[in-house]
Amino acid sequence: MSDIRSTQEIFGDLFGGLASLGARGVDGLIIARAIARLLIQKGILTEDEMVEMMREIALNELDKGEDTEFVLQTYRDVVENLNKSRKRE
């Protein structure tokens, strides 16, 4: 069965969905940062432990290679930035 929506409607749905994902991603980022900050403030983990776990997770995801090239490049960028931060210390 063919899609009866116009091209404009299809692209509107596509970009609307992407914008919605972006907004939810920002919500997730804020929640994750709040949880990490609380865990550090309460002495449950250190900032160094958190950064090292971020690096480990990004490297594991790169090793799996199951994501799109855009996501894989984002993981590479995260690892590179974390490594630069480590060298400055």
Side-chain angles (χ1 to χ4, degrees), residues 5-22:
R5 298 176 300 164
S6 70
T7 302
Q8 183 177 0
E9 290 170 325
I10 292 170
F11 276 99
D13 290 347
L14 170 67
F15 291 115
L18 291 174
S20 176
L21 284 174

Side-chain angles (χ1 to χ4, degrees), residues 28-53:
L29 174 66
I30 291 168
I31 291 167
R33 290 183 80 175
I35 291 169
R37 187 171 293 164
L38 284 169
L39 291 172
I40 291 168
Q41 287 175 351
K42 292 183 178 289
I44 297 171
L45 83 142
T46 67
E47 188 171 345
D48 290 338
E49 290 171 322
M50 185 190 72
V51 170
E52 193 54 42
M53 184 54 63

Side-chain angles (χ1 to χ4, degrees), residues 2 16 35 63 74-75 82 84-85:
S2 65
I35 291 169
D63 287 343
T74 302
Y75 289 138
L82 291 171
K84 284 179 186 176
S85 298

